[in-house]
Amino acid sequence: MDIDNPGTALDRSGHPNPVPRIVGKIRRRHAVEVGDLKFLRAHTERRIKMTVPGPFTMSQQAQNDFYKSDEEAAMDYAVAVNEEIRDLFAAGADIVQIDEPYMQARPEKARVYGLKALNRALEGVKGATAVHICFGYAA
């Protein structure tokens, strides 16, 4: 991901925004939220829910300058999200929520590959999960 030379993508309300550019194969280099989970776990005995961005939504919030299709990018995002979810459960999360607001905002693309990417992100995951799809407050 190139965050120093941003590209452009339309947000959920149709306005252009600066976004990271995909310039190579998407892969997860390290855990992103596990440190936050461990901090929270050290300070509560209550159930913990962590949230992660969904692979479909991330594919819509980046400029794709590498993959042949947004679907291909979403599927590699899904692999990275799957690894993060597994690490969150291993570190003590009770629930992991995947946020996918762009499935509502881009229903045509979501019908083609959104569910496929979401299922890949959840493949082999052991633990309670939830999917959050927002309906319109961005507009």
Side-chain angles (χ1 to χ4, degrees):
M1 302 299 294
D2 184 349
I3 59 173
D4 295 321
N5 302 293
T8 303
L10 298 178
D11 66 17
R12 291 178 56 206
S13 57
H15 297 97
N17 279 326
V19 295
R21 288 184 317 112
I22 302 170
V23 296
K25 185 168 177 58
I26 295 166
R27 67 188 188 292
R28 180 174 170 262
R29 292 184 183 181
H30 56 81
V32 177
E33 297 183 6
V34 168
D36 295 328
L37 172 69
K38 288 180 178 179
F39 174 84
L40 185 56
R41 178 55 69 207
H43 292 86
T44 188
E45 293 181 16
R46 301 183 94 182
R47 292 171 46 92
I48 293 174
K49 177 178 80 172
M50 297 296 289
T51 63
V52 297
F56 179 82
T57 292
M58 286 192 285
S59 75
Q60 301 302 298
Q61 293 180 318
Q63 180 175 304
N64 178 8
D65 291 343
F66 178 77
Y67 290 97
K68 292 178 185 172
S69 69
D70 289 344
E71 179 177 354
E72 191 179 345
M75 295 309 292
D76 275 357
Y77 273 126
V79 171
V81 170
N82 180 271
E83 293 169 359
E84 183 74 10
I85 292 171
R86 288 171 184 258
D87 282 352
L88 288 169
F89 279 123
D94 296 300
I95 302 167
V96 175
Q97 173 178 302
I98 299 176
D99 293 329
E100 283 286 15
Y102 276 71
M103 284 200 191
Q104 178 273 333
R106 309 275 195 287
E108 298 81 19
K109 289 182 179 182
R111 280 185 196 97
V112 174
Y113 62 91
L115 188 58
K116 180 180 173 184
L118 181 60
N119 284 336
R120 175 59 187 95
L122 293 170
E123 191 173 289
V125 168
K126 305 270 192 263
T129 58
V131 178
H132 177 233
I133 298 177
C134 305
F135 288 96
Y137 68 82

